[in-house]
């Protein structure tokens, strides 16, 4: 498969945003509902029969984009409510929609989508604060420091309204050109630091929301634009510019297709210390194999937190003539739907920090096979009550995710366990779930969490951890003891 960078016709899709002619707009308060937390991962649970249930097994979400007109579309709302747990407004939170005139903010259209999503148990991604397109008309007559100030005021005004309510904001959208340099735009002309100013402003405006950079044609690792964005994120992380996530739009439409190295791109960004997400996925003719591949790439990268499709049915798509979505015009799931569902259910990595809830310790095996083979031979044979076996769930440039299974070989129930393992030089544990660690490098011990210390005869439990380091050499010298 190849990636073609041509984006011909990408702005020709029908524009569905609500027309709000208010000269003096009124902000309607959004419902005060706390931002939902990430799902609890449980890879041993039954396969999900909806996109969201399948994604939540691994602590991920499955999202869609909707325009305000879909709020009156019962067919759309039925599928949205059944299958999705994350929503993005197609146009209603963009700069032209939220601040049509200087200092006059209008959140009615954005709030309508926000409120519907929250009332139906979803989270919401904010899209977008600073972009070369869909700008307020008054930005067009500004330049230099006046435009810079208008951008800062816009970010502050919009983020104050949604403070504490969103899962993430696409702070800056599409700021790079195909050759990997900055896209020329009025915002770029205010100075090369405009992007970091936007992120610093955003962090101060709402310290609790994830701040994302979002772009298209950054899926192919060897493509110049991908490298340009990667270098900016690396620079931001090195200098402490607040960026938490990278959104890869994943439009495999308009001449683009799934590159074979997509997973490498995701894991390379993740290794910089950011979450990654597929934020606007659609695929020409809904190729089931490309949908399967893009989903699997995300499932293989622990910090790939979720997938959003840009619409639900082909009739919702900005590229409807390419029939690129998971549902047809009659609301029926297409073959690509099944390929995505299966790939979600086959996830073998979980999102860090989405701990597995306590489950009744039984010996029921996972109901879907996982495809990742152990990268090192299992370490077994420790004397005493328990055995620890290790496998690498996923590796990337700069780290890996490890999982240890603790098995009770005896006939009596274990009441607590401790695993010791030794990390290779230069490796540091960043995060442990389903266990409590002592130490983060060299010889590390991990004891059971409050809820998984009791392991019945011949049963097992597991914990996971994330390691940063120049190599992905697996830990050695595993041992397991129980009191
Ligand atoms: C698109 C909308 O779907 C259209 O309705 C609108 O006319 C143009 O914008 N990248 C983005 C999205 O970040 O905001 C774009 O959405 C699609 C490409």
């Amino acid at each position: 498969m190849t990636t073609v960078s041509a984006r011909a016709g990408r702005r020709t899709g029908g524009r569905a945003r609500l027309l709000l002619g208010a000269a003096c707009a009124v902000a309607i308060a959004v419902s005060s509902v706390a931002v939902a937390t990430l799902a609890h991962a449980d890879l041993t649970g039954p396969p999900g029969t909806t996109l969201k249930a399948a994604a939540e097994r691994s602590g991920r979400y499955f999202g869609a984009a909707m325009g305000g007109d879909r709020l009156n579309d019962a067919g759309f709302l039925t599928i949205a409510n059944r299958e999705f747990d994350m929503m993005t407004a197609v146009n209603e939170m963009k700069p032209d929609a939220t601040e049509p005139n200087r200092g006059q903010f209008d959140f009615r259209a954005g709030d309508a989508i926000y409120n519907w999503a929250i009332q139906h148990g979803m989270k919401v991604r904010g899209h977008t604060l600073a972009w070369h397109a869909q700008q307020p008309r008054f930005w067009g007559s500004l330049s230099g420091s006046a435009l810079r100030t208008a951008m800062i005021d816009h970010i502050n005004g919009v983020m104050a309204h949604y403070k504490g309510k969103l899962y993430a904001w696409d702070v800056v959208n599409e700021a790079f050109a195909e050759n990997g340099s900055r896209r020329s735009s009025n915002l770029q002309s205010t100075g090369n630091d405009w992007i970091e100013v936007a992120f610093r402003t955003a962090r101060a405006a709402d310290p609790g929301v994830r701040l994302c950079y979002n772009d298209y044609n950054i899926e192919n690792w060897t493509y110049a634009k991908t490298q340009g964005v990667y270098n900016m994120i690396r620079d931001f992380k090195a200098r402490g510019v607040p960026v938490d996530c990278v959104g890869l739009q994943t439009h495999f439409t308009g001449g683009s297709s799934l590159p074979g190295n997509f997973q490498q791109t995701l894991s390379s960004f993740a290794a910089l210390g950011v979450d990654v997400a597929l934020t606007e996925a659609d695929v020409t003719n809904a190729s089931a194999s490309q949908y399967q591949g893009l989903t699997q790439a995300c499932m293989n990268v622990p910090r790939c937190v979720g997938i959003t499709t840009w619409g639900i049915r082909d009739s919702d798509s900005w590229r409807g003539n390419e029939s690129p979505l998971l549902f047809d015009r009659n609301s029926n799931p297409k073959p690509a739907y099944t390929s995505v569902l299966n790939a979600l259910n086959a996830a073998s990595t979980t999102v860090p920090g989405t701990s597995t809830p306590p489950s009744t310790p039984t010996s029921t095996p996972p109901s879907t096979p996982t495809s990742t083979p152990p990268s090192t031979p299992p370490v077994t044979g420790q004397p005493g009550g328990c055995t620890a076996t290790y496998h690498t769930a996923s590796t990337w440039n700069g780290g890996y995710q490890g999982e240890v299974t603790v098995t009770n070989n005896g006939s009596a129930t274990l009441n607590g366990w401790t695993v010791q393992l030794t990390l290779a030089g230069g490796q540091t544990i960043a995060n442990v779930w389903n266990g409590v660690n002592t130490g983060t490098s060299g010889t590390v011990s991990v004891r059971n969490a409050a809820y998984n210390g009791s392991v019945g005869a011949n049963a097992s439990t597991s914990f996971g951890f994330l390691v940063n380091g120049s190599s992905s050499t697996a830990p050695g010298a595993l041992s397991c003891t129980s009191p």
Side-chain angles (χ1 to χ4, degrees):
M1 282 176 283
T2 55
T3 287
V4 178
S5 61
R7 303 279 298 175
R10 68 185 300 272
R11 300 280 170 222
T12 56
R15 189 159 166 170
R17 100 181 146 81
L18 290 184
L19 292 173
L20 295 167
C24 181
V26 182
I28 301 174
V30 295
S31 309
S32 60
V33 177
V35 174
T37 52
L38 276 172
H40 284 288
D42 182 4
L43 292 180
T44 64
T49 57
T50 61
L51 297 170
K52 66 181 175 188
E56 286 169 10
R57 291 178 84 249
S58 61
R60 296 181 169 90
Y61 64 79
F62 207 92
M66 72 186 285
D69 50 357
R70 296 303 182 267
L71 289 166
N72 299 314
D73 183 333
F76 181 97
L77 297 179
T78 299
I79 309 177
N81 193 24
R82 188 181 71 222
E83 301 280 344
F84 297 85
D85 56 9
M86 181 71 76
M87 194 52 74
T88 307
V90 171
N91 289 304
E92 291 74 4
M93 295 192 192
K94 289 174 176 174
D96 59 345
T98 51
E99 194 185 1
N101 297 293
R102 182 156 209 164
Q104 293 176 344
F105 291 93
D106 188 335
F107 299 113
R108 289 177 295 180
D111 285 356
I113 290 172
Y114 174 87
N115 287 334
W116 186 86
I118 294 295
Q119 283 155 12
H120 291 82
M122 303 173 193
K123 289 168 281 175
V124 176
R125 296 190 82 258
H127 175 76
T128 174
L129 295 165
W131 189 21
H132 68 275
Q134 291 181 261
Q135 297 185 349
R137 194 165 294 155
F138 73 91
W139 285 15
S141 55
L142 301 175
S143 62
S145 63
L147 178 60
R148 176 68 65 86
T149 302
M151 177 191 82
I152 292 169
D153 290 349
H154 179 78
I155 292 170
N156 281 325
V158 176
M159 289 190 76
H161 180 74
Y162 288 108
K163 188 171 182 177
K165 297 187 165 64
L166 300 182
Y167 170 79
W169 262 114
D170 290 332
V171 177
V172 171
N173 196 34
E174 303 184 349
F176 276 74
E178 298 305 302
N179 69 4
S181 65
R182 293 289 184 85
R183 175 196 290 275
S184 51
S185 71
N186 58 344
L187 290 169
Q188 181 64 28
S189 298
T190 67
N192 205 48
D193 62 345
W194 75 275
I195 299 179
E196 64 185 274
V197 167
F199 277 91
R200 290 188 201 280
T201 304
R203 179 67 98 222
D206 183 355
V209 70
R210 295 167 179 81
L211 305 179
C212 304
Y213 176 79
N214 194 53
D215 214 330
Y216 65 91
N217 277 356
I218 58 168
E219 293 82 16
N220 184 340
W221 177 238
T222 61
Y223 191 53
K225 185 171 176 181
T226 309
Q227 291 298 311
V229 173
Y230 175 82
N231 288 332
M232 178 186 75
I233 300 296
R234 187 173 57 181
D235 170 56
F236 279 12
K237 295 305 279 186
R239 290 191 296 111
V241 178
V243 59
D244 306 312
C245 34
V246 172
L248 298 97
Q249 291 184 8
T250 319
H251 288 297
F252 296 141
T253 47
S256 297
S257 59
L258 174 70
N261 57 21
F262 187 38
Q263 185 178 323
Q264 184 185 4
T265 307
L266 296 175
S267 59
S268 300
F269 275 112
L272 295 176
V274 289
D275 287 346
V276 291
L278 282 45
T279 51
E280 304 181 12
D282 48 16
V283 180
T284 303
N285 296 325
S287 153
S289 63
Q290 288 190 54
Y291 262 116
Q292 192 276 340
L294 70 88
T295 306
Q296 195 183 332
C298 180
M299 296 306 108
N300 286 347
V301 175
R303 290 197 76 162
C304 187
V305 293
I307 300 173
T308 294
T309 55
W310 206 241
I312 292 180
R313 307 156 304 180
D314 290 332
S315 46
D316 307 316
S317 174
W318 71 315
R319 287 186 165 155
N321 60 350
E322 296 188 39
S323 301
L325 293 174
L326 299 177
F327 292 83
D328 67 20
R329 284 160 206 277
N330 298 319
S331 295
N332 295 315
K334 295 161 43 172
Y337 170 91
T338 308
S339 74
V340 169
L341 190 69
N342 290 342
L344 294 171
N345 276 319
S348 61
T349 77
T350 56
V351 173
T354 61
S355 60
T356 307
S359 57
T360 321
T362 65
S363 54
T364 314
S367 49
T368 49
T370 55
S371 53
T372 315
S375 63
T376 51
V379 178
T380 55
Q382 296 97 357
C386 57
T387 305
T389 57
Y390 169 83
H391 89 275
T392 301
S394 159
T395 64
W396 57 91
N397 192 3
Y400 64 92
Q401 179 185 340
E403 276 171 18
V404 172
T405 302
V406 175
T407 304
N408 176 6
N409 298 312
S411 52
T413 298
L414 290 182
N415 288 309
W417 46 264
T418 302
V419 170
Q420 264 202 0
L421 48 86
T422 302
L423 298 174
Q427 295 183 353
T428 315
I429 289 193
N431 188 20
V432 176
W433 53 98
N434 298 338
V436 180
N437 60 311
T438 303
T440 54
S441 59
T443 298
V444 172
S445 68
V446 180
R447 68 175 161 76
N448 56 276
Y451 50 81
N452 63 356
S454 173
V455 184
N458 298 315
S460 59
T461 187
S462 66
F463 67 89
F465 55 93
L466 212 62
V467 174
N468 290 325
S470 48
S471 77
S472 53
T473 307
L478 254 77
S479 66
C480 183
T481 53
S482 66

